[in-house]
Amino acid sequence: MKELDLFDDLNPEADRPQRDVSHAAWHDHAALLALLQRWVDRGWLRPLDRALVVFLHREVGDGHPLLLLAAALASHQLGRGHVCLDLAQTLAAPNLALSLPPEGDDLSDPPPLPSEILDGLHLDTWRAALTDPMLVGEANHGRAGNTPLVRLDTAGSTRLYLRRYWQYEQDIRHALHGRLTNDLPTPPTDTLRQALEALFGEATATQAHDDAQLDWQKLACALAARSRFSVITGGPGTGKTTTVVRLLALLQALQLGQQQGKGSDRPLRIRLAAPTGKAAARLNESIAKQVEGLSLLELATAASTDGVDIRTLREAIPTEVTTLHRLLGSRPDTRHFRYNPSNRLSLDVLVVDEASMVDIEMMAALLGALPPRARLVLLGDKDQLASVEAGAVLGDLCQRAEAAHYTPETSNWLAQVAGATLPERYQSDHGQALDQAIAMLRVSHRFDASSGIGQLAQAVNRPLSSDHQPKDKRRAVRGVFQQGYADIAHLRLSDSDDPALDRLVVDGNPNGFLNKGRGRAGRDGELPPPTGYRHYLETLAGHRPPADADLEHDRETFDAWARAVIDAYGRFQLLCALRKGPWGVEGLNPRIARALRRQGLIHASDAELERGWYLGRPVLVTRNDYSLGLMNGDIGITLALPLPGQPGETMLRAAFPSNDGSGRIKWVLPSRLQAVETVFAMTVHKSQGSEFTHTALVLPDAPNPILTRELIYTGITRAKDWFTLAESGRGILDEAVLREVTRVSGLT
């Protein structure tokens, strides 16, 4: 079998001969279970998926084999991010129903592909096999019951759910419908207009023809001020955090202004949350700075005829950010939370950052725990990678965000309160209630026309259309690298042992940039040239505290050292798409460690590099550890501290930033860290919510379904000042930017 055979499903025009003979797995349970076992053995299917089929077959022995096959595939889709199995899509692209090809598979002696098994199967035949009242409930006819599977027929297809995920979808749909249809008292137009002008300045009521002429942040605040549910989406540098800080100031000012004369000055109870500890830490730091620099005098005056006390207003704007798991009160070893529909959260406003990372199960739990009258504001980039778990809730909600679809009523109201006349392309007589609650920030303040990072991200992110064909997109993406932008570099590698990869990870490959990265202006003067991991390791050695210092009496000295090393580490990060193989984190991490050892930057044996601890080892937390206060995604550096009372002797400890804005360092014994991995190389998924001065994205040398437009876009936008694309396989980037993440769900 040729490797490209696995990717025929990516080409809808690929010819596949039809056959008249059905496969044995269609009607024979033993043949089906044997097939599923071969898929499991090969890594194409999870053991969990086959175990579900075994359970269903044991409980209901006469379940149709095609139904059990659909159940296995529906279960497998959850592990790949889909909420359900779409039968028509599966028949159109069978090989995308499994994890093909699994990372590291040499494709020798493969079992039958799904395209072989499903060849000749018609949709009506498969639908008929799903009619089993013991196993499948029918959502269309109100007979969902308590069956383990739920079927939903749609125009031209059928979706099969595991019951729990069908219920999550229903819970989200009902919760959002209630928030969008129940009226929320809106502040008087004049008061809201004056408050918005105090925050953003007075607008000139002219017809806007260009996105840059509109203050999208102001429009987003206006829309969120009148709804129990709102979404603020936008790419990197569009000001999502700035917008939400001003929104919180606006809501608190209006609340305190309304309370005057009523014998109460109770501010809104506002909570801020993010999916991961890393994202929470970034938002915490960013919001604290924004609130500190926010001018509130005019807003306090505009919110009430008697004015609002500025000190009270500033103190009412929260800066502490928590994780969603902590907010809801996760219970160890269960899927349940302390806060739920029977025990609601005590809050008036909840802001969730990096909402693209929130999966369907967490979103359902979150909505269920919110008080009915509370506001929910989601922040995130709709074009980033979706959550690792099943669902792409933010992407589903924002499918119509590009064209806005604001109704004439909404457009007229925005003109009154924000002084903005929207272009006709953003108006629609057929706008839905959800459209009126979504604001998309469209102007980047980080990446301008002179930024190669911004131009590359834009070229990658542009969807295909009738006037933008695949060849046009490939040409546009490649063309960005040929324009001579100072902040991007393209590194071609011959193979995984190419010395150029060592030069990239050790020194940042400055020779790949214009003028070797020198002379480029930044906001605070000339930017330092791009670096690799040498920089943080030299910082580690050069800023080490004196030999006679000890942690107990010189804590700040050691904390300052750790902060310097952690900050220096953030100057460079290598990202990859895969976990396994020579181009995945499992292959690249030891390869990079050995390259650094050859340069004399780290000192460790082969065994320590593979499985042990050594000075300078960067580690990534892969599971929340509430006892240590460490969250999934936190990064720490292994440092050596002097042993008390033993001159010249040291002990290794991992230093982590405290994530509370205090600047303190958590010093953790390696023996207490049970869920960490070396992080010279990090997957793009793990990098979400992070930002690095110089980001390098390395692509594998063979096609893989995980390589998508969203993954490339997310990798590019992790870069703050410098970006390097490293690739060895010809055409891999061209294929990746054409492939979009299509997560099957019923929220679209």
Side-chain angles (χ1 to χ4, degrees):
M1 179 191 303
K2 297 179 181 178
E3 184 171 341
L4 290 180
D5 288 347
L6 298 178
F7 291 88
D8 281 348
D9 285 340
L10 303 179
N11 179 8
E13 298 179 359
D15 293 327
R16 296 191 194 91
Q18 295 294 309
R19 66 176 185 194
D20 298 326
V21 181
S22 63
H23 193 278
W26 291 19
H27 48 75
D28 183 82
H29 291 102
L32 173 64
L33 291 173
L35 171 69
L36 297 182
Q37 186 60 55
R38 289 193 68 190
W39 284 351
V40 170
D41 293 341
R42 196 60 180 231
W44 294 3
L45 192 74
R46 301 178 302 174
L48 175 67
D49 308 324
R50 185 181 184 277
L52 172 64
V53 171
V54 172
F55 169 77
L56 296 177
H57 181 50
R58 185 176 66 239
E59 296 299 311
V60 182
D62 58 350
H64 198 292
L66 284 176
L67 165 57
L68 298 179
L69 174 61
L73 296 179
S75 174
H76 190 67
Q77 298 316 293
L78 295 173
R80 304 176 68 232
H82 303 290
V83 176
C84 55
L85 177 75
D86 187 298
L87 268 61
Q89 287 187 19
T90 302
L91 291 175
N95 290 341
L96 296 185
L98 297 182
S99 299
L100 298 174
E103 298 172 26
D105 194 337
D106 61 7
L107 301 177
S108 61
D109 188 28
L113 291 168
S115 54
E116 299 175 53
I117 304 301
L118 299 178
D119 187 18
L121 180 62
H122 296 285
L123 178 61
D124 290 341
T125 303
W126 208 358
R127 274 177 165 169
L130 300 188
T131 305
D132 188 327
M134 296 293 291
L135 294 178
V136 184
E138 298 186 18
N140 299 80
H141 305 291
R143 297 196 295 268
N146 294 311
T147 55
L149 305 171
V150 176
R151 163 184 170 171
L152 183 65
D153 294 324
T154 62
S157 187
T158 291
R159 294 198 297 266
L160 184 67
Y161 293 82
L162 270 64
R163 163 165 297 282
R164 184 154 51 89
Y165 288 86
W166 175 80
Q167 191 61 57
Y168 292 150
E169 210 169 78
Q170 301 311 303
D171 291 345
I172 292 172
R173 186 186 303 278
H174 294 153
L176 294 185
H177 181 267
R179 292 182 178 280
L180 292 169
T181 54
N182 291 333
D183 291 337
L184 180 71
T186 303
T189 299
D190 289 343
T191 302
L192 183 56
R193 184 184 67 251
Q194 292 170 12
L196 287 169
E197 289 177 353
L199 280 170
F200 295 95
E202 186 173 354
T204 303
T206 58
Q207 178 71 44
H209 299 284
D210 184 80
D211 287 344
Q213 294 178 271
L214 287 168
D215 192 336
W216 291 100
Q217 297 182 14
K218 186 177 184 180
L219 297 177
C221 285
L223 290 171
R226 70 171 192 171
S227 179
R228 296 190 199 282
F229 174 73
S230 56
V231 177
I232 301 175
T233 186
T238 52
K240 295 185 291 293
T241 305
T242 300
T243 302
V244 80
V245 168
R246 294 185 179 185
L247 171 63
L248 298 182
L250 172 68
L251 295 177
Q252 287 290 26
L254 295 173
Q255 167 73 5
L256 293 171
Q258 292 172 358
Q259 295 295 321
Q260 287 185 351
K262 298 182 180 180
S264 172
D265 59 352
R266 185 183 77 83
L268 294 169
R269 296 167 298 175
I270 300 175
R271 298 293 301 275
L272 309 174
T276 67
K278 186 69 174 179
R282 276 197 63 200
L283 182 62
N284 187 91
E285 182 180 0
S286 179
I287 281 192
K289 291 180 180 178
Q290 296 265 1
V291 171
E292 184 180 351
L294 193 62
S295 176
L296 297 174
L297 178 60
E298 293 185 12
L299 176 62
T301 303
S304 169
T305 54
D306 297 325
V308 173
D309 181 71
I310 295 179
R311 181 177 178 181
T312 302
L313 175 57
R314 191 177 300 278
E315 291 176 350
I317 304 173
T319 58
E320 181 180 349
V321 187
T322 187
T323 64
L324 289 174
H325 283 86
R326 278 185 168 174
L327 175 75
L328 295 178
S330 61
R331 293 178 173 175
D333 302 321
T334 76
R335 310 184 83 99
H336 304 296
F337 295 97
R338 175 187 174 195
Y339 294 101
N340 52 58
S342 301
N343 182 32
R344 308 271 187 170
L345 291 162
S346 297
L347 53 78
D348 301 303
V349 181
L350 174 63
V351 175
V352 179
D353 193 25
E354 297 290 351
S356 64
M357 300 168 65
V358 181
D359 61 85
I360 190 170
E361 181 176 3
M362 176 57 78
M363 187 62 74
L366 187 64
L367 288 167
L370 282 179
R373 299 189 63 81
R375 299 176 190 260
L376 174 62
V377 181
L378 301 182
L379 293 181
D381 185 345
K382 68 179 180 62
D383 297 312
Q384 274 191 194
L385 280 170
S387 61
V388 175
E389 304 297 331
V393 180
L394 186 69
D396 288 343
L397 296 177
C398 293
Q399 283 202 349
R400 289 159 55 93
E402 290 284 349
H405 298 281
Y406 295 133
T407 62
E409 178 187 6
T410 297
S411 300
N412 293 335
W413 182 79
L414 287 173
Q416 294 177 44
V417 300
T421 303
L422 294 174
E424 290 186 5
R425 64 181 178 276
Y426 296 133
Q427 302 183 44
S428 171
D429 292 331
H430 306 289
Q432 302 171 2
L434 178 61
D435 298 327
Q436 317 313 304
I438 296 176
M440 181 174 170
L441 307 181
R442 302 169 189 267
V443 180
S444 177
H445 305 285
R446 183 191 306 170
F447 303 131
D448 57 21
S450 65
S451 167
I453 297 173
Q455 297 301 312
L456 184 60
Q458 184 177 8
V460 167
N461 200 37
R462 183 178 175 183
L464 297 175
S465 64
S466 58
D467 62 344
H468 190 60
Q469 297 296 312
K471 63 179 181 180
D472 301 318
K473 182 161 188 174
R474 293 190 187 103
R475 189 181 302 118
V477 172
R478 293 289 180 184
V480 175
F481 287 106
Q482 300 167 5
Q483 297 301 313
Y485 290 106
D487 56 342
I488 60 174
H490 189 196
L491 181 62
R492 290 199 177 277
L493 304 172
S494 58
D495 53 43
S496 59
D497 294 323
D498 193 325
L501 181 59
D502 291 351
R503 292 193 292 271
L504 171 63
V505 297
V506 174
D507 293 310
N509 191 36
N511 290 337
F513 291 88
L514 190 68
N515 297 326
K516 298 184 178 181
R518 297 192 182 96
R520 183 166 163 242
R523 293 183 179 179
D524 301 319
E526 184 176 324
L527 291 172
T531 62
Y533 289 129
R534 179 190 295 276
H535 177 65
Y536 96 88
L537 291 167
E538 289 183 342
T539 301
L540 184 157
H543 291 71
R544 191 194 304 261
D548 58 351
D550 74 65
L551 186 62
E552 183 177 352
H553 298 97
D554 299 290
R555 173 65 182 261
E556 181 50 41
T557 300
F558 285 94
D559 280 4
W561 177 40
R563 283 193 296 270
V565 175
I566 292 170
D567 289 345
Y569 176 84
R571 292 278 300 277
F572 177 76
Q573 182 64 59
L574 186 77
L575 303 181
C576 54
L578 310 177
R579 288 201 58 81
K580 297 180 180 179
W583 298 105
V585 293
E586 292 181 5
L588 287 171
N589 272 315
R591 155 77 191 270
I592 295 169
R594 289 192 295 269
L596 295 170
R597 184 174 63 181
R598 285 194 295 270
Q599 295 291 322
L601 296 170
I602 59 176
H603 304 277
S605 66
D606 288 340
E608 288 172 330
L609 292 183
E610 291 286 346
R611 297 179 297 276
W613 288 85
Y614 51 88
L615 181 64
R617 180 193 180 194
V619 291
L620 175 76
V621 177
T622 58
R623 188 173 63 240
N624 292 345
D625 188 331
Y626 295 103
S627 65
L628 295 176
L630 297 176
M631 298 292 108
N632 183 12
D634 285 352
I635 293 177
I637 307 294
T638 308
L639 301 176
L641 302 180
L643 276 171
Q646 300 184 42
E649 297 295 323
T650 61
M651 59 181 175
L652 294 179
R653 288 204 182 179
F656 292 88
S658 61
N659 292 340
D660 60 3
S662 66
R664 299 279 289 179
I665 295 295
K666 296 177 183 176
W667 296 93
V668 184
L669 284 169
S671 59
R672 298 193 64 191
L673 294 169
Q674 302 302 314
V676 295
E677 60 185 31
T678 303
V679 68
F680 290 120
M682 177 193 297
T683 62
V684 176
H685 273 95
K686 285 289 187 181
S687 74
Q688 291 188 90
S690 300
E691 183 181 77
F692 309 98
T693 305
H694 179 196
T695 299
L697 174 63
V698 58
L699 300 182
D701 59 354
N704 192 297
I706 202 172
L707 295 170
T708 61
R709 181 189 84 177
E710 290 81 359
L711 183 137
I712 303 298
Y713 170 81
T714 302
I716 294 168
T717 54
R718 298 312 90 203
K720 180 182 178 183
D721 296 326
W722 309 98
F723 175 75
T724 297
L725 177 73
E727 60 172 334
S728 62
R730 299 289 179 176
I732 300 301
L733 177 64
D734 293 338
E735 292 301 318
V737 299
L738 298 181
R739 192 179 305 138
E740 298 181 10
V741 172
T742 53
R743 289 203 164 177
V744 181
S745 81
L747 287 178
T748 53

